[in-house]
Amino acid sequence: MGQYLAIGLRLMASVKKEQEFDEISVEDVLSKVENRYNLSDIYERSEKEKYYVYSIKNEVLDKELIPLIEKFYALRYTKDEEMDTADVIETLKALPDTSARLDLLDDRRFQAYQAGDDMDYFNPDIFPLREIRVSSNNAILSIDGKIAMECYGRVFDFFSRCIAAQLQEFALSKALTVWIDG
């Protein structure tokens, strides 16, 4: 199996609680994580036994998931590309609710709509230096490969911001992310 360039929506992100910080509060650290990963007002933060978990609010997904995907596909794929995007949209519209639409990701029936996970390490500007692992569960909307890259974080952040700028009328555009999957 190889690695692929993936673009999608960060549906959920989690930060393990085990890190201890001497000079900075947990709230300050989480604020830095929220800023770095754009875990803005469209996410709800909850506290689990071992993790802080950020999940996209259901009302945002209910309102914007299909319209954002339709516009994203129109920007991303040309008419000449043979992709399953029309089938994805038709299937999503036929499903009764957002929960069923998200469950469809796990079926991996479509190239342009499937589940994908990502893990990143973030070094917030704190002392002593700590590395924070941020795990994400994503909805893949585009996947191309195979790809091999090193030191790609900043360019992927740029890609994410460019894509979000094209879709800025959707609050859900703040959840767009680019990563290497596989």
Side-chain angles (χ1 to χ4, degrees), residues 75-145:
L75 289 168
R76 167 62 185 87
Y77 299 106
T78 65
K79 290 179 175 65
D80 297 336
E81 289 180 273
E82 290 203 23
M83 285 300 296
D84 53 10
T85 57
D87 294 334
V88 170
I89 297 298
E90 182 180 323
T91 302
L92 291 175
K93 286 181 176 180
L95 292 171
D97 56 28
T98 299
S99 179
R101 292 176 185 122
L102 296 179
D103 287 345
L104 181 65
L105 292 165
D106 295 324
D107 291 350
R108 294 185 163 276
R109 284 179 28 203
F110 303 105
Q111 181 176 344
Y113 189 79
Q114 58 181 291
D117 296 320
D118 182 31
M119 189 179 318
D120 195 25
Y121 293 90
F122 173 55
N123 293 306
D125 187 21
I126 59 173
F127 186 80
L129 294 176
R130 296 281 196 267
E131 187 172 69
I132 299 172
R133 186 178 79 186
V134 178
S135 302
S136 298
N137 302 103
N138 307 308
I140 294 173
L141 305 179
S142 169
I143 190 161
D144 294 282

Side-chain angles (χ1 to χ4, degrees), residues 3-107:
Q3 294 187 316
Y4 301 85
L5 177 64
I7 302 171
L9 294 171
R10 179 177 287 116
L11 300 172
M12 185 175 64
S14 61
V15 177
K16 203 166 192 175
K17 284 181 162 181
E18 69 184 21
Q19 292 107 343
E20 292 185 24
F21 306 99
D22 300 329
E23 302 289 323
I24 188 169
S25 73
V26 170
E27 204 53 46
D28 288 342
V29 171
L30 291 176
S31 177
K32 290 178 181 290
V33 169
E34 291 166 7
N35 187 51
R36 166 64 180 88
Y37 294 94
N38 205 14
L39 301 171
S40 63
D41 57 336
I42 67 168
Y43 289 88
E44 293 176 319
R45 183 174 80 194
S46 60
E47 191 171 335
K48 307 294 183 196
E49 184 179 335
K50 295 183 180 183
Y51 293 91
Y52 296 100
V53 177
Y54 296 85
S55 303
I56 292 183
K57 295 176 182 175
N58 282 334
E59 59 267 16
V60 177
L61 287 169
D62 291 343
K63 179 181 176 187
E64 294 190 359
L65 182 64
I66 293 174
L68 176 122
I69 289 173
E70 287 176 318
K71 184 159 183 187
F72 176 83
Y73 287 166
L75 289 168
R76 167 62 185 87
Y77 299 106
T78 65
K79 290 179 175 65
D80 297 336
E81 289 180 273
E82 290 203 23
M83 285 300 296
D84 53 10
T85 57
D87 294 334
V88 170
I89 297 298
E90 182 180 323
T91 302
L92 291 175
K93 286 181 176 180
L95 292 171
D97 56 28
T98 299
S99 179
R101 292 176 185 122
L102 296 179
D103 287 345
L104 181 65
L105 292 165
D106 295 324
D107 291 350

